[in-house]
């Protein structure tokens, strides 16, 4: 089975936020009210986290996407009391919304802070119920959710492959953030296929993982910025 | 009610709520068989027109993503575009034409019919022509869509009014190229072949130019396997996201872009990094001094050597000399450098000087008329009707000066001066307007001084606004016509002229109009037909959608270019054409139109060698460092002789002999920098809840505006991150939240444009603060552009 | 060797609170019920609206409910643990204290055990814990451990209660049917006494490891994650020590309250407080030692994520609370309880309140600052509890007090038969024991 992974090239990333918006739209992630937003309850499966070091004018500003790292040794699945978050055979860390009891232990355990909680029930904004993506279930209040690498797209790819009586190929499936990234900074595919772009990039000299030292074995790699040769 | 009864009622209420809770999370939209189809179209929320595909399931639009096959955007899309469906189904969209009830601005409307609305506009327009004053018809338009603009100009010409005021252009840049090269349109920047991009406040990846295309180019220039990745350098006061991404940064105080550009030219000259052969063969005024139009000018080289030594530039900008050298050398040593400038520096004082300085910098390295530099902008060879012949009444009207003073109160090459319009309208100068039509732009919200639009229009008899939703500008109108969403409309978008290739994208509706709206072009045709006479003859008989296939025939007739397809198809077609084969395409016009509809775009990348001659206008043989027409015009507009150096230094600085202007700090010690984000886009896309939530998604700020302030300054003012602050200028004041970040100099603050709507649908109204209120209505004398820089004072605001 | 029969006619003082109900009782109960009702309404409101009514947010996803969960479970330790340990070591001064201690445990475990459910986003899905439970998760260890502890402590409360219930039954003044039922046909035969003592002995030994496991396992909820400030090996013993510490403080407050309300000065004498206070002093010092180890280790290592959280607690936003905790948990008890002269009941009362406040702060300081300092540059928010959380906390405390008061209304709050046993057998048994310590009689060489 493919081991799905992602490489994000921070040299190409312009921090435009298209991935953030695309993810919200594709996965029916709730838009919370301004008051809830002010209280820290915004829901993003994918965020841009900015870190500024130094002072003006020489401040170094690093803005990088933060999403579920789909760890191969996930700290969140270890602590879930009801097997609502789990590392599936398809190498994705899944989330079973009907089973989640909302204890938020996985949120406390995730060192990347990528899990999001439904603090209340929010309907889509007025008039916008009809444009929700029918492939992705809406989550009720009180459950935890997170990036699923657009698992519904993997499902669709598997169905197509089954209909055509062949295995799923790398090119069949791509999360929406990869698709809409304007500078093509995100690459996705099978990390176990030595010929795939994502596998080769993940072994490049510039490749790092977030919080590598924790041993979570994330499947999301970052290629650090290059210095200009001037 | 007995206690038992109460308990029963309470418990059943409680149980009902529990059941409701259990049913949350189900999609309550009726589902059909799940039939899916994809509609390729264009996003029209900004002038770029990225290719998108709308996913329709059982007739409902449920998804929107970039179109991978699109030759320009290739699947990329900005956050605002991704929220496009929310605009389509926005609950406050206009559904019918509206007629004002009560005084203007009262916000009371009654629905009316299209017939009645159009007649109410056409009647005074007919009368105007009968009275012999067609010039009193004013149209305010964004100008995003060239074909729409074509029809606007055509009807205005047939009608007899010169007053089509477009607010989307960058006049200083256009004017600079017009004078330097005699070009009618500004050239395109061929970034994809460049190896060093020097940006003067151009937010490549945010909102300037075509951000998605520029990002695609960037992705290619910085591919992991690129041997020598291209370099991005940024010159500007604020560390914008583009600046944060740049490899080299020069932090200059606001308003010093021209100085820095010419300082870099100095490095090029002294380090012998100029393109000598280009300067010898293709420019005039570089070496020798000269005279023209009664004004004498120095040689450009001497001018730079004398005044722009790095020590002087460093003293005035605060950038260390070593960094100026480093930047200049890097720029000069690059094989295909290009310098670009964004709208913000052009909207400062002396915007023309900034434009001229950047053009001169490009000339110095010969980045004109070659790959990686400035090249002819693209277009599309649409089959357009012949230019309409104006009748007597129309000719007299067209001869009148424009209401916005463009070309008369400004340099002749300036075509649009919306900044002056509101003041002129209020004064009734040069003549009053009788009918005004506003479309595609929200001047009351977006223009500095826009708050006075209502008052300025009080003397105008009929004001019409064509919009998708009630906004601040519709408040000033008598009639509001509902405009269809871009997802409900047809269109063809030719390459915005900053693309270095020919291209045409097709916009086709994903859904039938949900309400009684019409696309603007159809409304315009209907109006023209109602006016009758020459305007009616100038428009096609049918709808805009029926005319578009005719226009598209020009693409087929041109015999070149390909329809968008997969990258593989594109490369095969390229390969074969480069070998002289003609790739078989659709033969008949009908088949071509169908193929265009299903592929989404037509593109033709020029194969001919570029040449500097490409950009020169008729009769012009060389690029002029000191264009005589410009000098003459400058003197005319100023009303007195002007030193030649003024075109690079700005008139005031030149008058002071090049000395630093007296910056009157006084009561308002801080510079205010305004910026746009690619979420709310200056206000236009603040409509949707997703964009309002993502307003400051990189800064963890949502549903609110903010003021960027240097941490030391904040400490001195006793302001902490997130505190509310009062920002006051000579023009107005507002309260917003502070964001402490090392992205602005200690003596400047930056605020985003786009929020502070007083009327823009239920989600955006009342959110954030209105930054343009702080900017007094100032107009640059030469170019007629709005000057958007000002000074402010910041104090903590008690909650 | 139980040649002793408890008498239902002695020790009237201990029976009086059960048989006479004052107006003060009704008033107190009314106030407590009002507080509890308000908390219940706030919780129902939370069920209607979701956890948005709390002050929790991203990244602080655990707040008051988890803090109070740990706090209440912590208090439960003193109960059974103290009573068990004192029984094992045969400390005679335990006799008036054991009942109160056992009651604390039983009540507070139930309240504490409710808190994670109050904290759940989907309390309607609690059954999933049993249907799909994963034993690899520390939360499941918690469920197991607390259930076991609750069962054990209830049994351990009930067993020594039987003879007292029988006495009440003999007195026949009130609720005879209840005492008939609960006494299980206790007649006080030597055989029954033998069985009872053996059962109590078994329970007092069994309960100790269960009790230790409970708070260790609660600490594992934090220690088994990778959060800075949580991933510490010392958490197990640290939490157990802290739990015993806070439990003794709660026990003291209960003792002082009932002593004054029921006029039990003859039974709960100064010496009892002083003996227990020595234990609390030992716990204070032990707690101080663990705290010092914990923070010195973090500080010395200097690992960035750890330091960020540590400095946030020690000198950052949480500094006032942190240093208050140190003063309350260490400085005050050590100052007031070290010298015998200062070991008075008022000073013990002050120390106990200080310790309870300090231990509650310790839970808060463990849970929230680590969450407010995520490893990634995540924009952080400050946790501020809302009225819902505060009122549910108040409701928990009120329920605790109410449980105690209701228990004391039906059962003697001081174990009558153990007092009488002490009077009858205590001296003799103690003398025997001391005899056995003394050196053997040497055979005289005559």
């Amino acid at each position: 089975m493919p081991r799905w992974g992602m490489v994000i090239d921070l040299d190409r990333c312009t921090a435009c936020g298209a991935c953030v918006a695309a993810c919200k739209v594709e996965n029916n992630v709730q838009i919370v009210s301004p008051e809830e937003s002010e209280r820290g309850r915004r829901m993003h499966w994918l965020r841009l986290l900015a870190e500024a070091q130094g002072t003006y004018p020489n401040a170094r500003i690093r803005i990088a996407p933060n999403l579920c790292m789909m760890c191969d040794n996930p700290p969140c699945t270890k602590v879930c009391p009801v097997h609502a978050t789990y590392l599936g055979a398809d190498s994705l860390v899944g989330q079973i919304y009907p089973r989640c009891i909302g204890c938020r232990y996985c949120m406390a355990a995730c060192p990347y802070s990528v899990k999001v909680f439904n603090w209340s029930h929010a309907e889509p904004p007025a008039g916008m119920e009809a444009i929700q993506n029918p492939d992705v279930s809406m989550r009720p209040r009180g459950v935890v959710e997170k990036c699923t690498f657009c698992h519904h797209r993997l499902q669709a790819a598997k169905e197509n492959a089954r209909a055509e009586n062949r295995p799923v190929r790398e090119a069949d499936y791509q999360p929406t953030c990869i698709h809409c990234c304007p500078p093509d900074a995100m690459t996705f595919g099978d990390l176990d296929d030595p010929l795939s772009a994502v596998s080769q990039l993940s072994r490049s000299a510039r490749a790092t993982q977030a919080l590598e030292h924790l041993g979570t074995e994330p499947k999301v790699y970052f290629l650090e910025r290059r210095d200009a040769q001037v | 009610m007995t206690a038992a009864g109460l308990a029963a009622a309470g418990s059943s209420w409680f149980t009902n709520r529990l059941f409701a809770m259990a049913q949350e999370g189900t999609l309550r939209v009726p589902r059909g068989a799940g039939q899916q189809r994809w509609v390729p179209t264009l996003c029209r929320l900004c002038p770029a027109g990225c290719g998108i595909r709308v996913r329709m399931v059982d007739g409902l639009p449920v998804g929107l993503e970039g179109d991978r096959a699109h030759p320009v955007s290739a699947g990329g899309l900005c956050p605002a575009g991704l929220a496009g469906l929310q605009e389509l189904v926005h609950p406050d969209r206009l559904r019918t034409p509206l007629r004002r009830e009560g005084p203007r601005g009262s916000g009371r409307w009654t629905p009316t019919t299209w017939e009645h609305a159009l007649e109410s506009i056409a009647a005074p327009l007919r009368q105007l022509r009968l009275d012999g004053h067609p010039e009193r018809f004013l149209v305010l338009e964004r100008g995003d869509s060239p074909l729409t603009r074509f029809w606007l100009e055509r009807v205005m010409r047939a009608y007899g009014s010169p007053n089509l005021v477009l607010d989307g252009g960058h006049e200083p840049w256009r004017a600079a190229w017009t004078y330097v090269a005699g070009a009618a349109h500004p050239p395109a920047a061929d970034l994809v072949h460049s190896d060093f991009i020097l940006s003067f406040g151009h937010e490549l990846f945010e909102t300037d130019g075509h951000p998605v295309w520029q990002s695609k180019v960037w992705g290619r220039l910085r591919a992991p396997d690129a041997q020598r990745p291209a370099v991005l350098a940024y010159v500007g006061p604020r560390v914008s996201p583009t600046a944060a991404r740049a490899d080299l940064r020069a932090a200059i105080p606001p308003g010093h872009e021209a100085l820095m550009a010419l300082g870099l030219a100095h490095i090029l000259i002294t380090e012998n990094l100029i393109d000598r052969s280009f300067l010898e063969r293709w420019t005039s005024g570089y070496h020798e001094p000269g005279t023209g139009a009664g004004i004498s000018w120095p040689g450009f080289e001497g001018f730079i050597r004398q005044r722009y030594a790095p020590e002087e530039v460093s003293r005035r900008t605060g950038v260390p000399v070593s960094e100026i050298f480093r930047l200049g050398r890097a720029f000069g040593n690059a094989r295909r450098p290009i310098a670009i400038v964004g709208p913000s520096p052009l909207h400062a004082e002396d915007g023309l000087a900034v434009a001229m300085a950047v053009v001169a910098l490009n000339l110095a390295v010969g980045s004109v008329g070659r790959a990686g530099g400035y090249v002819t902008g693209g277009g599309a060879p649409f089959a357009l009707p012949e230019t309409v012949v104006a009748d007597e009444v129309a000719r007299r009207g067209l001869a009148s000066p424009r209401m916005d003073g463009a070309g008369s109160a400004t340099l002749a090459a300036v075509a649009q001066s919306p900044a002056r319009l509101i003041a002129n309208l209020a004064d009734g100068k040069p003549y009053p307007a009788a009918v005004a039509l506003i479309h595609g732009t929200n001047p009351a919200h977006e223009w500095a001084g826009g708050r006075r639009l209502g008052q300025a229009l009080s003397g105008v008899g009929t004001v019409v606004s064509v919009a998708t939703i009630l906004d601040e500008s519709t408040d000033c109108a008598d009639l509001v016509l509902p405009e269809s969403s871009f997802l409900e409309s047809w269109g063809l978008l030719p390459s915005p002229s900053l693309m270095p290739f020919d291209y045409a994208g097709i916009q086709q509706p994903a859904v039938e109009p949900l309400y009684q709206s019409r696309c603007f072009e159809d409304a315009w045709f209907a109006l023209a037909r109602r006016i009758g006479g020459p305007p009616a003859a100038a428009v096609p008989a049918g709808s805009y959608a029926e005319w578009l296939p005719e226009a598209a025939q020009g693409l087929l007739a041109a015999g070149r270019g390909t329809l968008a397809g997969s990258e593989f198809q594109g490369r095969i077609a390229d390969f074969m054409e480069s070998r002289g084969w003609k790739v078989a395409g659709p033969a008949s016009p009908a088949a071509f139109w169908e193929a265009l509809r299903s592929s989404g775009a037509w593109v033709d990348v020029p194969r001919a060698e570029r040449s500097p001659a490409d950009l020169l206008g008729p009769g012009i043989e060389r690029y002029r460092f000191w264009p005589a027409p410009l000098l003459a015009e400058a003197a005319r507009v100023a009303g007195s002789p002007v030193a030649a150096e003024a075109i690079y230094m700005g008139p005031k600085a030149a008058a002071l002999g090049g000395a630093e202007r007296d910056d009157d700090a006084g009561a308002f010690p801080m510079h205010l920098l305004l910026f746009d984000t690619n979420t709310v886009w200056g206000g236009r896309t603040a409509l949707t809840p997703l964009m309002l939530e993502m307003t400051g998604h990189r800064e963890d700020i949502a549903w609110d505006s903010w003021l960027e302030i240097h941490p030391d300054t904040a400490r001195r003012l006793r302001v902490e991150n997130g505190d509310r602050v009062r920002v006051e200028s000579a023009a107005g004041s507002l309260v917003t939240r502070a964001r402490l970040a090392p992205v602005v100099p200690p003596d400047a603050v930056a605020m985003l444009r786009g929020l502070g709507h007083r009327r823009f649908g239920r989600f955006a109204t009342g959110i954030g603060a209105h930054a343009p209120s702080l900017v007094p209505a100032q107009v640059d004398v030469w170019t007629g552009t709005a000057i958007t820089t000002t000074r402010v004072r910041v104090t903590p605001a008690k909650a | 060797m139980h040649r002793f029969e408890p008498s239902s006619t002695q020790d009237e003082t201990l029976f009086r609170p059960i048989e006479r109900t004052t107006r003060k009782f009704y008033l107190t109960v009314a106030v407590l019920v009002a507080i509890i009702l308000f908390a219940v309404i706030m919780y129902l409101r939370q069920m209607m609206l979701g956890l948005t009514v709390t002050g929790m947010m991203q990244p602080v996803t655990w707040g008051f409910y988890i803090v109070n969960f740990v706090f209440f479970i912590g208090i439960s330790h003193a109960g059974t643990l103290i009573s068990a340990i004192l029984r094992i070591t045969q400390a005679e001064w335990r006799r008036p204290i054991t009942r109160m201690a056992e009651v604390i445990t039983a009540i507070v475990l139930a309240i504490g055990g409710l808190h994670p459910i109050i904290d759940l986003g989907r309390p309607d899905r609690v059954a999933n814990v049993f249907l799909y439970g994963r034993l690899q998760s520390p939360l499941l260890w918690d469920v197991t451990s607390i259930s076991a502890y609750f069962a054990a402590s209830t049994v351990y409360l009930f067993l020594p209660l039987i003879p007292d219930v029988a006495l009440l039954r003999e007195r026949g003044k009130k609720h005879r049917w209840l005492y008939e039922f609960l006494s299980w046909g206790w007649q006080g035969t030597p055989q029954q006494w033998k069985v009872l003592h053996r059962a109590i002995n078994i329970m007092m030994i069994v309960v100790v490891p269960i009790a230790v496991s409970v708070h260790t396992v609660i600490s594992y909820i934090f220690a088994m994650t990778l959060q800075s400030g949580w991933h510490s090996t010392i958490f197990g013993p640290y939490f157990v020590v802290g739990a015993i510490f806070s439990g003794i403080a709660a026990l003291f407050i209960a003792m002082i309250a009932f002593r004054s309300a029921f006029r039990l000065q003859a039974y709960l004498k100064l010496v009892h407080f002083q003996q227990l206070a020595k234990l609390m002093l030992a716990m204070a010092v032990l707690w101080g030692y663990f705290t010092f180890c914990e923070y010195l280790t973090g500080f010395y290592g200097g690992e960035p994520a750890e330091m960020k959280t540590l400095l946030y607690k020690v000198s950052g936003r949480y500094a006032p609370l942190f240093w208050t905790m140190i003063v309350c948990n260490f400085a005050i008890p050590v100052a007031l309880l070290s010298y015998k002269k200062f070991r008075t009941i008022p000073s013990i009362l002050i120390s106990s309140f200080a310790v309870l406040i300090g231990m509650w702060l310790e839970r808060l300081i463990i849970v929230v600052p680590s969450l407010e300092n995520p490893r990634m540059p995540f924009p952080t928010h400050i946790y501020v509890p809302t009225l819902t959380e505060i009122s549910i906390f108040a409701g928990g405390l009120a329920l605790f007090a109410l449980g105690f008061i209701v228990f004391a209304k039906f059962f003697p709050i001081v174990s009558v038969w153990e007092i009488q046993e002490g009077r009858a057998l205590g001296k003799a048994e103690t003398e025997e024991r001391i005899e056995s310590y003394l050196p053997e009689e040497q055979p005289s060489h005559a």
Side-chain angles (χ1 to χ4, degrees), chain B residues 229-254:
Chain B
V231 173
L232 174 66
Y234 183 92
V235 176
R238 177 178 171 254
V239 185
S240 62
T242 304
R245 179 56 276 242
D247 302 296
L248 293 173
R249 274 209 307 261
I252 55 170

Side-chain angles (χ1 to χ4, degrees), chain B residues 490-707:
Chain B
W490 288 92
L492 276 173
L493 180 68
S495 163
S497 68
L498 43 81
M499 293 285 123
F501 49 80
D502 289 348
Y503 146 90
I506 184 167
Q507 175 193 351
Q508 47 195 328
V511 292
E512 288 298 305
L514 302 173
Y515 312 120
Q516 292 176 44
S517 59
R518 297 187 193 179
C519 71
F520 173 71
E521 294 82 358
D522 279 339
W524 185 245
F525 289 175
L527 179 64
R529 285 181 208 122
R530 249 184 214 268
I531 297 171
V539 298
S543 69
Y544 187 57
E546 283 158 13
W547 173 77
L548 285 172
E550 288 175 34
Q553 293 322 303
L555 304 174
L556 179 61
R560 55 187 172 90
T562 49
L563 292 172
S566 68
E567 192 174 334
F568 177 73
Q569 284 173 317
R571 292 208 187 179
I572 286 282
D574 253 4
F575 173 77
M576 294 187 69
E577 286 202 354
S578 69
R579 297 275 188 289
W581 292 90
K582 183 101 168 61
V583 178
S588 73
F592 180 79
W593 178 247
E594 282 314 306
L596 182 63
R597 278 190 63 189
S598 66
S599 68
W602 170 93
V603 66
D604 183 34
V605 180
R607 242 168 282 287
E609 230 3 81
R610 309 270 192 189
S611 152
D614 296 341
L615 295 176
L616 292 171
I620 312 290
E621 310 223 322
R622 286 168 178 263
Y623 297 92
R624 303 168 288 195
F625 279 100
W626 308 96
L630 172 56
L631 297 170
E633 279 289 302
R636 176 185 67 79
V637 170
S640 59
V642 156
E645 291 86 343
I647 63 173
Y648 289 108
M649 300 168 68
K652 289 197 205 130
L656 289 173
E660 190 93 303
R661 283 198 306 279
D662 227 349
D663 250 346
D664 174 25
F668 302 111
M670 317 207 62
H671 293 282
L672 175 70
L673 307 167
L674 295 180
F675 63 91
D676 290 325
T677 61
N678 64 357
T679 46
V680 298
W681 279 87
R684 168 80 176 84
T685 57
L687 195 59
T688 57
L690 181 61
M691 288 304 103
L692 288 166
E693 187 186 62
M694 276 181 68
T695 311
H697 64 99
R698 288 168 292 222
E699 295 85 0
D700 190 42
I701 296 173
W703 300 91
D704 202 2
S705 52
W706 70 90
L707 185 79

Side-chain angles (χ1 to χ4, degrees), chain B residues 699-743:
Chain B
E699 295 85 0
D700 190 42
I701 296 173
W703 300 91
D704 202 2
S705 52
W706 70 90
L707 185 79
E708 292 177 346
I709 184 168
H710 192 280
D712 292 343
T713 311
R715 203 170 310 126
R716 189 171 42 84
L717 296 169
R718 295 200 222 291
V719 167
E720 290 187 29
N721 202 35
D723 283 356
R724 300 208 83 78
V725 288
R726 179 177 308 281
V727 188
E728 295 165 272
S729 76
S733 81
L734 54 82
V735 173
T736 188
R737 75 164 71 202
R739 176 186 171 238
L740 276 58
V743 298

